[in-house]
Amino acid sequence: MLAIALVDRTGSGLWAAVSVLYFTYVTGLSVAQVGTLAAVSGAIGIAGAPLGGRIADRLPLTRVLMALQILRALASFALLTTDDYALLVAFCAVGSLGDRAANVLTKLYAARVAGKERVRYQAVNRTVANAGWALGGLAAAGALAIGTTTAYQWLLAGDALSFLGAALLTLRCGEPPSATRTVATSHDPVTTTKGATPWRDRTYLAYVATETVLFLDDAVFKVGLPLWIAHASDAPHGLAPLLLVLNNLIIVALQVPLARLGATSAAARALLLPLSAAFALGGVAMALSATGGTTTATLLLTAAAVAFTAAEMLHATVSWELSIALAPATAQGAYLGVHGLAQSAQRSIGPLAVTAAIAAGPVGWVLFGAVIAATCGFQHRVVRDRLNPSALSVLPVTVSEH
């Protein structure tokens, strides 16, 4: 699975760093159209998370994941075939649907394989994935230097090919044990008891709602920074992919060490407080970047990228632990699918949020950071009564336990 993460994210790094610029300069979309495209495709992709989790509770996880990788490849290749806005939105929506489902299944795979070591496993997986992002981002920066339509198209084709490579590698992965599938096939009246449904779990739903806001760091790097650099700062346009590379290099260096700070539910909850500070600082740095010349803007945007990267790493650690700790073992797929709605919804809400911040000017970024910081405090309160302060992560799920 680590090799899959590397291949997948190297391709994604090729595309993520330049997707906004591709739609702006190659297909000729306006800022509003780019934001709307990302928002609409993200909204449609929301269905991928719960659908993927539910299916993975019933079918072999690795086979479902392979099918999703193929779907993502086809959607990426399709973008090369048209400049029609409606078709671009449709193809991006299909890709978003597959991406959101695949994201949930990757997390579920980690939970089933690693058990109580899931936070560390996810940290290692994320480190490898971000090494791939960095490689892809460096290649994208080189393509930006060329600046031709063909260069952009090759980056998109590379992204599609990476999904096909990931699908082939998935064939070699062993199927992890599943408590839900074991329960479903058992004739023991005790073990066939249905797991809880996340749709009636008010605490979990409230937690997922706050997660939607905390995942907005993704929109900052994919949409906010490139557009802010291009339209509201004196920083060079080539800084955008370089900041994405910096983001990934920091994660490669620090994600695994930071994961140790969230190995228990109580520790993960405690990290929400420094997380709020990181988001606030990132918003302030973005706002100040519009007040100086090229050098000042570059330095402050770099500081903002570092702050939002710290927020991303801290939130990842918190999210890996709490999303599972709040879910019953026999319904992990369903619960993680609902949790995946947070990232899916962010794909829709995020572009609108950051473009609104850009439209409001520097004060918009200050408010952006402040709102997310306040949400961290709210989540800290929401999960308090649900968690056992001294609880370790849940034990590994194996067939023999049922």
Side-chain angles (χ1 to χ4, degrees):
M1 193 59 70
L2 295 179
I4 293 171
L6 180 63
V7 172
D8 184 331
R9 295 309 173 184
T10 298
S12 296
L14 293 173
W15 175 239
V18 301
S19 59
V20 169
L21 300 178
Y22 174 91
F23 289 125
T24 300
Y25 298 118
V26 176
T27 62
L29 304 185
S30 66
V31 172
Q33 285 179 313
V34 172
T36 302
L37 179 147
V40 172
S41 61
I44 295 174
I46 287 175
L51 181 62
R54 190 170 184 84
I55 292 174
D57 275 342
R58 290 160 173 76
L59 299 175
L61 189 156
T62 53
R63 296 300 179 263
V64 177
L65 186 55
M66 182 182 68
L68 290 171
Q69 297 286 19
I70 294 173
L71 178 67
R72 296 167 75 193
L74 293 174
S76 293
F77 277 127
L79 289 174
L80 292 168
T81 66
T82 184
D83 291 336
D84 181 81
Y85 186 63
L87 289 177
L88 290 173
V89 172
F91 295 147
C92 284
V94 172
S96 178
L97 189 77
D99 180 69
R100 292 298 86 213
N103 184 273
V104 168
L105 266 59
T106 300
K107 187 175 181 180
L108 182 59
Y109 185 95
R112 290 178 176 177
V113 169
K116 67 179 181 179
E117 295 293 327
R118 63 175 174 266
V119 173
R120 184 176 183 278
Y121 180 98
Q122 284 277 27
V124 173
N125 186 76
R126 184 179 177 81
T127 298
V128 172
N130 279 272
W133 275 101
L135 291 173
L138 287 172
L144 278 180
I146 299 173
T148 64
T149 297
T150 301
Y152 282 111
Q153 290 172 333
W154 274 110
L155 291 174
L156 179 53
D159 184 32
L161 289 172
S162 74
F163 295 144
L164 291 179
L168 292 175
L169 289 172
T170 303
L171 283 172
R172 302 177 60 187
C173 292
E175 181 68 20
S178 167
T180 306
R181 292 180 65 209
T182 302
V183 168
T185 57
S186 173
H187 298 290
D188 185 340
V190 175
T191 59
T192 54
T193 302
K194 294 290 184 181
T197 171
W199 298 109
R200 297 179 182 177
D201 191 330
R202 293 182 180 179
T203 298
Y204 200 83
L205 291 176
Y207 163 70
V208 170
T210 60
E211 285 283 87
T212 302
V213 180
L214 270 56
F215 275 119
L216 286 175
D217 61 86
D218 182 69
V220 171
F221 282 100
K222 291 183 178 178
V223 180
L225 274 168
L227 288 180
W228 186 251
I229 289 170
H231 296 282
S233 81
D234 292 327
H237 291 186
L239 181 63
L242 293 178
L243 290 180
L244 185 59
V245 171
L246 176 64
N247 164 265
N248 286 282
L249 291 177
I250 293 174
I251 291 173
V252 168
L254 298 178
Q255 185 69 80
V256 173
L258 279 177
R260 299 190 186 101
L261 301 178
T264 70
S265 299
R269 178 173 174 260
L271 287 180
L272 287 166
L273 301 180
L275 174 59
S276 65
F279 274 121
L281 289 173
V284 171
M286 288 288 286
L288 292 176
S289 69
T291 62
T294 299
T295 300
T296 300
T298 299
L299 291 174
L300 285 169
L301 286 168
T302 301
V306 171
F308 281 119
T309 299
E312 181 181 351
M313 292 187 295
L314 289 171
H315 179 234
T317 299
V318 173
S319 184
W320 292 331
E321 173 59 28
L322 296 187
S323 61
I324 292 289
L326 296 171
T330 55
Q332 285 181 344
Y335 269 71
L336 285 181
V338 171
H339 179 263
L341 288 173
Q343 280 186 299
S344 300
Q346 183 279 139
R347 292 293 181 93
S348 179
I349 297 171
L352 298 178
V354 295
T355 52
I358 292 171
V363 68
W365 282 112
V366 174
L367 290 174
F368 179 87
V371 168
I372 305 178
T375 305
C376 291
F378 183 69
Q379 183 179 114
H380 189 270
R381 184 181 183 87
V382 164
V383 303
R384 178 184 59 192
D385 296 334
R386 180 72 163 263
L387 300 173
N388 179 352
S390 61
L392 292 172
S393 302
V394 295
L395 295 175
V397 177
T398 63
V399 175
S400 62
E401 293 174 357
H402 298 279

